[in-house]
Amino acid sequence: MASKKLSALTAITSVGSDDLVYVADTADGGSTYASKKVTKANFLSEYITSAAATTLATNNETHIDNLATLTGVAKDATGLGTFTGSTISDASDIKTALQDLETAAEAAQAGSAVADRTKTQTDSTNATRYVTFVGDDNASATSETVFTDAGITYNPSTNTLNVGNLAVAGTTTTVDTVTMQAANAIVFEGATADDFESTLTIIDPTADRTIKLPNVSGCVPVLAADSATAITATPAELNVLDGITASVAELNLLDGVTSSTAELNILDGVTATAAEINILDGVTSTAAELNLLDGVTATTAELNLLDGVTATTTELNYVDGVTSSIQTQLNAKTADGDNVNNLVGNTSADTCPTSGGVDNYLFLVVDKSDGSLKAIDKTFIEAEG
């Protein structure tokens, strides 16, 4: 049978499984469109059957439902619904929503207000958290890479921040107790940054110790050597030394002194020199005996007049009241030794002294045994006569 064009073939309404289908062969570039035949089974082998198509459609419907669920909106919806924020517009389609996100992300990267906002959440978990850092000190909001360091950690449960080395440029305020687990705990650089520092350190404690700073302004005194001996003197007692200009050697003069304050106060006002006080060295007089000198105005030369005196107090008291030379007085009274005028003031005749009509006179005679003068009355003379 000669080949015919497809348009010249008669159409049929049903096809048997062994019927042939004529097709035009285009292998020659369409120059002849030679007719070819293919069986129905072979022709349909490359196409899906009705049953397979139904199964595939059912499966695809399930996939479409799942996809709709994934979008968060109802199937066949034309928009993404309402959003709580302002970045994505409500009822946007997927492309519009993605565009909103892209615009916001690019703005954040360029330094918009969005770049300086990070969502946070309270955490009290007993676990290690790491502090984050950025590489630059940006004056405006800038997208940065965030870093962490295992040397700086924080525990939200215990509120404990662990830091290896901490350099503070400003003021540090500590509310509770500071515990330092180091011997050389504090090093002061001073106003000048050089090779010299002051280190505040402690002697290794063998028990709990408490050292208090006083509630006054001033400098804390220091000791020249380590010591475990506590100073028991009170500030008031130490202040007794305030203003003292004596040297160590001078203060050592008190070493061994057992005198009481009252006894030392005896020296109050003394102006004597050491040489003058040394005059008392070896003195064994009692205080009562020394008090005999109280009020004495005599000079040393005058006191030396007593040197060698052996007279007793009674004998010295014989001169009590004497206002002139004793020898002069004696010479004036008995210059001739036998001149009665030296003994009596008046040698003229006088009447006989009486008292109540009775003679009232005595006679002086010399006792030859010892040369003493004795008084006798007239009866003795009359008896001798």
Side-chain angles (χ1 to χ4, degrees), residues 125 130 164 167 179 182 213 215 259 342 376:
T125 306
Y130 297 93
T179 301
L213 294 177
N215 184 26
S259 301
N342 293 329
I376 61 174

Side-chain angles (χ1 to χ4, degrees), residues 255-267:
D255 187 19
V257 171
T258 59
S259 301
S260 65
T261 302
E263 292 168 336
L264 290 176
N265 281 339
I266 295 173
L267 298 175

Side-chain angles (χ1 to χ4, degrees), residues 280-291:
L280 299 175
D281 187 20
V283 171
T284 59
S285 302
T286 64
E289 291 169 337
L290 290 176
N291 282 337

